Amino acid sequence: MKNLYTAIVCILIYCGCSSNYNQNAAIEEYHKEKFDSFLTQFAQFDGKQPNESFFRQRKNFPNERLSPVLDKYHFSFLLPYDDECNCEAKELYYTPCYKIERKNYYLISMHTCCDVTKTAWYPYEDNTLVTYDKKGKIIDFATVGTGSDLEYYKIEPPSKENEIIYTQYFFKDVESFEKGNCDAFVYKVAVDDNGKIEKKLLREEKNVNVTM
């Protein structure tokens, strides 16, 4: 009788474990299908090294019927909202650009767009670099240039693999913009073999004269 009881307990435990395994497998499969669908909204980048073209809004490819804005269905793959962001949460949206597949991760570019800011500022658009693991989990992300009526940027031609150098120009007001007088910040963005992104300020220059 004791052996029979033990056998029943083992069967119940096995069934419970098997049920949990099947449930987890189903969840992973569903997540993978959503991530694969998410990836189709990004065009395959021709080169291996990100450059200025990598951050241009994705061009329509043949027979495409996708929205130019990333669907909320894929919300789990989008960036977490930052309370310090100068954008009203409901006014933040994303447009897809390009993708590159690496050995351990996907490198993806998108535009993070804001039409209504929290403070008295101009609508803006960030170039956003995002890395995902092969299962669709966000590894890291970083801004690679911001554009608005008083901000613009310049991305340098690539010199090293997985490294981007760009200059961010910031005008404090319309008068400064008309005079071409701004502050310049030069950044280096580097992605390691595991998809982690390091963004570093290389130098800062005040009262720079630039030609628009």
Side-chain angles (χ1 to χ4, degrees):
M1 189 68 180
K2 182 178 180 181
N3 291 338
L4 177 61
Y5 176 76
T6 303
I8 292 173
V9 171
C10 290
I11 291 172
L12 291 175
I13 292 174
Y14 172 78
C15 290
C17 293
S18 178
S19 176
N20 289 337
Y21 173 80
N22 291 335
Q23 185 178 14
N24 291 336
I27 292 173
E28 289 183 5
E29 181 63 26
Y30 174 70
H31 187 80
K32 184 179 184 304
E33 288 179 0
K34 283 185 64 177
F35 184 58
D36 289 343
S37 174
F38 174 74
L39 289 177
T40 63
Q41 297 186 91
F42 297 82
Q44 185 66 47
F45 191 61
D46 292 336
K48 294 183 178 180
Q49 176 63 18
N51 56 26
E52 186 173 6
S53 298
F54 185 65
F55 293 96
R56 293 176 185 170
Q57 187 167 341
R58 179 212 65 206
K59 301 296 182 181
N60 290 341
F61 28 100
N63 302 320
E64 181 183 17
R65 295 182 179 180
L66 296 174
S67 168
V69 178
L70 290 172
D71 198 319
K72 290 183 179 179
Y73 172 75
H74 299 108
F75 183 77
S76 59
F77 304 109
L78 298 179
L79 310 182
Y81 180 74
D82 186 350
D83 290 333
E84 296 182 0
C85 172
N86 188 29
C87 187
E88 295 292 348
K90 293 183 179 179
E91 302 298 331
L92 197 65
Y93 62 97
Y94 305 91
T95 60
C97 299
Y98 291 90
K99 62 186 174 185
I100 298 174
E101 183 175 2
R102 300 297 198 209
K103 180 180 179 181
N104 299 319
Y105 61 89
Y106 289 97
L107 189 66
I108 286 176
S109 59
M110 64 178 75
H111 291 167
T112 304
C113 310
C114 178
D115 287 342
V116 181
T117 58
K118 292 179 181 177
T119 61
W121 191 246
Y122 299 89
Y124 66 87
E125 184 175 284
D126 289 339
N127 286 336
T128 307
L129 186 71
V130 193
T131 53
Y132 297 86
D133 66 20
K134 293 304 179 74
K135 292 184 178 180
K137 181 180 178 181
I138 291 179
I139 301 173
D140 214 343
F141 61 92
T143 298
V144 185
T146 298
S148 74
D149 285 356
L150 293 182
E151 298 167 284
Y152 87 102
Y153 59 88
K154 179 182 178 183
I155 298 176
E156 300 296 332
S159 57
K160 293 183 179 180
E161 187 174 359
N162 290 337
E163 184 177 288
I164 303 170
I165 305 292
Y166 79 95
T167 304
Q168 181 70 52
Y169 299 95
F170 178 80
F171 300 86
K172 65 180 182 179
D173 50 38
V174 175
E175 183 179 356
S176 298
F177 176 81
E178 292 175 346
K179 292 180 179 179
N181 183 265
C182 66
D183 295 335
F185 305 85
V186 181
Y187 293 94
K188 179 177 76 172
V189 179
V191 186
D192 69 17
D193 293 339
N194 295 314
K196 292 295 293 183
I197 301 174
E198 180 186 25
K199 182 174 178 178
K200 182 179 180 180
L201 177 63
L202 297 181
R203 62 183 181 275
E204 177 181 344
E205 300 178 38
K206 297 289 187 179
N207 299 317
V208 177
N209 290 317
V210 297
T211 302
M212 298 295 294

